Amino acid sequence: MVTPSPTSSLVFTMALVLVGCATPHSNELYTPGSRSPLLAEKLTQQAVAELDPTPPRKPDPIKAERLLKDALAADLFHGPAHNNLGALYLEQGRLYEAASEFDWACKLMPGHPDPRLNLAMTLEHAGRVDEALDEYATALDVYPNHMPTLQAMTRCELRHSRHTDHTSVHLREIALAGEDQTWRSWAQRQLALQANRSP
């Protein structure tokens, strides 16, 4: 798992969901039988555990990918497995596959912001900035004031010169209530730069 940083080339929050855009892939990637949501949930949680970087564990993305595919074979409609598999692909730079998995997760988890945030970051990383900003906005429609989304969208707006009337408002929110001190300091610096540029 990559630690989010506003100064990195991609702020990757890998929104792993424990309940516990691209064209959707075909079912050929999985071999679903009868649906088993409980097994899918168990396998998804095991996959998340395999990605835990806490010592003495060492993340095993190959095993995690296998477990997530097994989860989807158990239940193709298990949204968290799609989201987590997409996060794994995004970290590996497999953008098309990541977008496809996040697209599935968005449909299967309509009230959850994480798949939309992840899809937006994937689109941004692919250089599709306007689509990414639209997806960030959709994530905020689903979950207003979702701080990880506010942070990622505001960073995207500033990085790609897409400043809006809301950008400064969001920076002030991040400066006060950002997820960690790195984000709060970043927002404070951006606000200071804006103040220095004002006539």
Side-chain angles (χ1 to χ4, degrees):
M1 184 181 302
V2 176
T3 303
S5 166
T7 58
S8 64
S9 60
L10 172 68
V11 179
F12 180 61
T13 58
M14 193 143 125
L16 296 173
V17 178
L18 284 175
V19 186
C21 233
T23 304
H25 50 62
S26 71
N27 293 354
E28 295 171 8
L29 293 177
Y30 314 108
T31 54
S34 58
R35 287 185 67 186
S36 179
L38 291 177
L39 177 58
E41 174 62 21
K42 178 182 176 182
L43 291 167
T44 299
Q45 291 188 15
Q46 289 175 3
V48 171
E50 289 300 328
L51 295 171
D52 184 359
T54 307
R57 296 188 64 95
K58 182 178 179 184
D60 188 343
I62 294 173
K63 185 174 181 182
E65 181 177 350
R66 190 185 76 245
L67 286 164
L68 290 168
K69 287 182 176 179
D70 288 347
L72 291 170
D75 182 5
L76 185 60
F77 303 102
H78 188 63
H82 283 290
N83 184 67
N84 294 345
L85 186 56
L88 192 59
Y89 288 154
L90 177 55
E91 188 172 29
Q92 295 169 354
R94 297 160 66 180
L95 301 183
Y96 180 83
E97 293 160 285
S100 181
E101 294 299 334
F102 294 141
D103 191 55
W104 270 85
C106 287
K107 292 180 174 104
L108 295 169
M109 302 164 65
H112 206 293
D114 286 349
R116 288 161 181 79
L117 168 59
N118 289 336
L119 179 56
M121 289 192 298
T122 303
L123 292 167
E124 182 183 352
H125 197 56
R128 295 163 61 177
V129 176
D130 291 330
E131 293 171 73
L133 288 170
D134 288 344
E135 201 62 45
Y136 286 128
T138 300
L140 289 174
D141 288 341
V142 168
Y143 196 114
N145 302 314
H146 184 242
M147 187 54 66
T149 301
L150 276 176
Q151 292 169 168
M153 183 172 71
T154 304
R155 185 219 62 241
C156 181
E157 289 170 345
L158 293 174
R159 177 177 293 159
H160 299 287
S161 300
R162 302 294 209 282
H163 195 281
T164 71
D165 293 339
H166 300 291
T167 305
S168 296
V169 174
H170 292 158
L171 279 172
R172 286 192 288 275
E173 292 178 32
I174 297 165
L176 288 173
E179 286 188 296
D180 55 35
Q181 187 56 48
T182 301
W183 274 110
R184 292 190 291 273
S185 297
W186 172 80
Q188 290 161 12
R189 286 194 304 273
Q190 296 302 319
L191 287 167
L193 287 171
Q194 288 184 3
N196 289 336
R197 285 195 294 264
S198 297

